[in-house]
Each structure stands twice: as C-alpha cells, then as structure tokens.
Amino acid sequence: MSDARPAKSAGYLARTRPVVPPIYQSATFYLDDLAYKDIQEGGLREHWYSRFANPTVDATAAEIAALEGAEAALMTSSGMAAIATTLLTLLTTAQPRRIVAARQVYGDTRDLLVRDLPALGVEVAMVDATDIGAWAEAIAAAPTAVVYAETLSNPQLDLTDLPSLAELAHAGGASLVVDNTFATPYTVNPLRHGADVVVHSATKFLSGHSDVIAGVVLGAADTVTEVQKRVITFGGCLDPHAAFLVWRGIQTFSLRLERSCATASQLATRLAANPEVVSVRYPAGDIAARVMRPDRRGAMVAFTVRGGDSRALAAMRRLTVASEATSLGGVETLVSTPFNSSHFSLTPTERVAARIDDGMIRLSCGIEDPEALIADVEAALAATV
C-alpha cells in the first residue's frame, strides 16, 4: 500500500466559508498568469508575496476604509510607519519639498519634522494648530506640498478646524494629511472635511486591546498606491497575524468607543469641578460642533493638576483602576504624564511652546465602570494634597 502524499498541501484550498478572515501567514503564494501580470505591472494587486500584499492585511484595511469613508486603505507596521511613509511619498512625488505642520503633534512625529525631514532637504514650517491665521500665513509664505495636522493633538487635545485648514491647503496647492488617531472615525471623518490623506496608529483605538503595533493610511486609490510603493521598498508592511488582531478589535470598535467616550465626558465634567485641577482639556465649542459628530467628543481627557509634574506623578501612582503606561485606546484606562513619556524629547521650554503644562496628565478612558474610574482619579488627587 502506497503511503505517498500529495506534493502540495491542499488543506487551505478547501471550499470553506470562514466567518472571520483566515490568518494568511504565508510569506509567498503560488504564481499563476495573473500574478505574473501583476508583477510586470508593479505587483500591487495580486497576492504573490506578503511584503507587497496579503489577504488578511487587505481584509483589515478594507474594514478601516469603511469606517473612514475612504476609497482605499493600506496597513503598515506601525503608526509612525504610516506617517513617515506618507509624508516621504508626498514630499518626493510632488514639488516643492515643503511642509507646513502643526506644532502640537506626537513626540516622534515632531522628531520626524524637526530632525529627519530637514536632513533630507525638506523645508518645514510649524505653527500653532489652533491659529487658523498662522496656518494661512505659513501656507502663503512659500509654495507648499503638504499640510499636516492631528485632528486632536497629542496630548493637548487641541481640535483642528479641518474644513478651514483643508480650504487653505488646497488654495495653496498642497495636500492635507491628518492624523486621526486620537479622535478616531467614531467622532470625526477627516476625509469628509476635505483632508486628502488620513493616517492612524491602529495600535490605539482601532485595535483596542494594547496587544498589537500597526498603522494605516487612507485616501484616494492613486495616492494610497503611491504610498504602498514606498511601504514595499522601505519594508514597512504589516504582519498578517497583527493585521488579524486589528481586524478582531474593529468588530467591537463602536461598542468600545460608545462606552469610552461617555466615560470621558463624565470624567471631564467632574475634573472641571475638582479644586486640585487647574484646567481640563476636552473638546467643546464651535469647532467641535462643526467637525465632530453630535455628543461624540472622544475618549481622551487631558488635565493639569496643582503642584506640577511631581504631583502628577504622585497622583498617577496611587491609581488602582487606571494604569500608568504609555500608549492609549485600549479597553483598559491608561494614564501618563507627557513630560516623561510621549514628549520626553522636548525641553521644558519646547513643552511650554507646545502648550504642554507642567503637571499635565493624559488619560485614555477604557471600558471600566465609569463611577469606579472617576472615584479612582478623585481619590488619587485627594491623597496627594
């Protein structure tokens, strides 16, 4: 009796209908005429090598495109891979090599803007994200290829007037790129307000479980295709297992954000009445009413306590419901002080210029019981008076 086995494993070829997308862990796929044609045309559509395209990764990108109302989406190995590759693509495929960016941005994004892009010959101008007049002046000062902002700045939670900024960018012949990580598509869709490209750290609210590093680029198909070419050559592709974890998180995205946003609103109100709190940052006012969805102001709260950074650290380390950790957007509430985490690379003077207060705490609301979380924060503040 022959014990010969098929030369090719046929298990994954079975005609199955999985409820969730399979994790296509394969680095390479069998070639056929379609694959060879795709290779000759640039290798951007068919699945034949996972650095170029992978079915699991593509399925996740499609889910996020639907959330953001984008024509196309591309997953990357991290949020910074999404940001850096997008900006490098737009600044090399368009002229002039000049970018106008918000001063209030994530610390590593700032490093890209003030250290890396200038070293590559890119002119960078930075302005106060909330000053639309400063944006207009900087964009008009010289031909500009890219305008860059965060919907909600990290960690100040300054809300960008996206419709006005998009109008200014396009009038100046520039593309508007928006990091929507903090706001999330639950509260804002920047593409609907005129943005040309949206980027996310999918590590945060999109995946929602603090167990994966990923990024995403969204926009028109031709723009996303250009970014994909650089992801291929720079090697910033997303691992299929990581993509699956993001896909799984997206299935509960709206449920998680509904709870987290409601908790953040309650917490912001209580903190505003707390005598140990100097100020609270939480979206409100005319711009929020025009840009954000009704009654959805996000799951992030930033507040400044009396006594500066030392008091903020002491209070954080008394928390029992919330956890002191970098990152955000998980089912657990995460809290940090920007001066020694997200913006450690800034000098005290630079933090002041970016409106990062001495004593500021950044808090990402999870899905815990709201009253338990609020009581935890209030107790920690009271214990450090």
Side-chain angles (χ1 to χ4, degrees), residues 178-254:
V178 176
D179 182 342
N180 201 35
T181 300
F182 267 41
T184 81
Y186 183 78
T187 68
V188 180
N189 289 130
L191 295 172
R192 295 176 182 173
H193 292 292
D196 298 286
V197 183
V198 171
V199 292
H200 281 270
S201 172
T203 306
K204 313 302 194 296
F205 290 103
L206 291 174
S207 64
H209 291 79
S210 302
D211 57 3
V212 63
I213 302 291
V216 63
V217 181
L218 304 110
D222 57 349
T223 301
V224 172
T225 295
E226 285 300 318
V227 177
Q228 183 184 6
K229 293 175 182 177
R230 277 79 188 174
V231 169
I232 290 169
T233 54
F234 297 163
C237 58
L238 185 62
D239 174 81
H241 186 262
F244 173 78
L245 291 176
V246 177
W247 183 93
R248 186 177 65 177
I250 291 170
Q251 308 316 301
T252 58
F253 173 75
S254 294

Side-chain angles (χ1 to χ4, degrees), residues 13-363:
L13 298 176
R15 293 184 177 274
T16 58
R17 299 176 62 197
V19 173
V20 300
I23 301 173
Y24 284 86
Q25 198 66 49
S26 181
T28 190
F29 300 83
Y30 291 115
L31 293 172
D32 56 20
D33 288 341
L34 283 176
Y36 281 121
K37 184 175 184 294
D38 188 57
I39 292 169
Q40 292 168 355
E41 294 175 353
L44 301 177
R45 291 178 297 276
E46 297 296 322
H47 299 119
W48 54 274
Y49 191 58
S50 280
R51 178 161 53 85
F52 285 67
N54 175 279
T56 310
V57 178
D58 289 352
T60 305
E63 291 274 346
I64 303 174
L67 286 175
E68 282 288 16
E71 182 181 10
L74 169 69
M75 303 301 298
T76 62
S77 57
S78 69
M80 282 309 305
I83 295 166
T85 309
T86 296
L87 294 184
L88 287 170
T89 297
L90 296 178
L91 289 164
T92 55
T93 58
Q95 294 297 328
R97 292 166 59 82
R98 181 175 190 265
I99 180 171
V100 177
R103 184 175 296 118
Q104 299 96 317
V105 291
Y106 172 51
D108 286 336
T109 303
R110 181 183 180 277
D111 288 343
L112 174 68
L113 292 167
V114 304
R115 181 190 65 198
D116 301 320
L117 290 181
L120 296 173
V122 176
E123 180 186 347
V124 179
M126 301 185 76
V127 302
D128 187 328
T130 63
D131 188 341
I132 200 67
W135 281 110
E137 184 177 346
I139 294 168
T144 300
V146 177
V147 173
Y148 181 87
E150 296 175 350
T151 306
L152 281 174
S153 63
N154 178 2
Q156 308 89 339
L157 301 188
D158 290 329
L159 179 61
T160 301
D161 186 346
L162 293 179
S164 297
L165 185 56
E167 184 176 347
L168 289 172
H170 297 156
S175 297
L176 175 60
V177 179
V178 176
D179 182 342
N180 201 35
T181 300
F182 267 41
T184 81
Y186 183 78
T187 68
V188 180
N189 289 130
L191 295 172
R192 295 176 182 173
H193 292 292
D196 298 286
V197 183
V198 171
V199 292
H200 281 270
S201 172
T203 306
K204 313 302 194 296
F205 290 103
L206 291 174
S207 64
H209 291 79
S210 302
D211 57 3
V212 63
I213 302 291
V216 63
V217 181
L218 304 110
D222 57 349
T223 301
V224 172
T225 295
E226 285 300 318
V227 177
Q228 183 184 6
K229 293 175 182 177
R230 277 79 188 174
V231 169
I232 290 169
T233 54
F234 297 163
C237 58
L238 185 62
D239 174 81
H241 186 262
F244 173 78
L245 291 176
V246 177
W247 183 93
R248 186 177 65 177
I250 291 170
Q251 308 316 301
T252 58
F253 173 75
S254 294
L255 295 173
R256 289 186 285 104
L257 266 293
E258 180 180 13
R259 175 62 170 263
S260 296
C261 290
T263 298
S265 179
Q266 294 176 53
L267 176 63
T269 299
R270 291 276 281 271
L271 286 172
N274 192 305
E276 299 306 314
V277 175
V278 176
S279 63
V280 178
R281 313 278 188 97
Y282 192 66
D286 173 65
I287 296 176
R290 288 190 291 109
V291 173
M292 307 183 89
R293 289 189 172 88
D295 301 319
R296 297 184 183 183
R297 297 294 184 258
M300 301 296 301
V301 179
F303 59 100
T304 301
V305 300
R306 300 188 188 283
D309 290 331
S310 59
R311 169 85 183 283
L313 279 173
M316 278 200 313
R317 288 167 183 171
R318 287 183 173 272
L319 294 170
T320 58
V321 176
S323 301
E324 180 186 356
T326 192
S327 199
L328 55 118
V331 292
E332 65 288 310
T333 294
L334 297 178
V335 61
S336 62
T337 46
F339 87 93
N340 68 349
S341 57
S342 61
H343 290 71
F344 72 92
S345 64
L346 274 66
T347 66
T349 300
E350 289 170 336
R351 286 197 294 273
V352 170
R355 288 207 297 277
I356 300 174
D357 301 333
D358 185 22
M360 180 180 281
I361 294 174
R362 189 191 77 181
L363 190 145

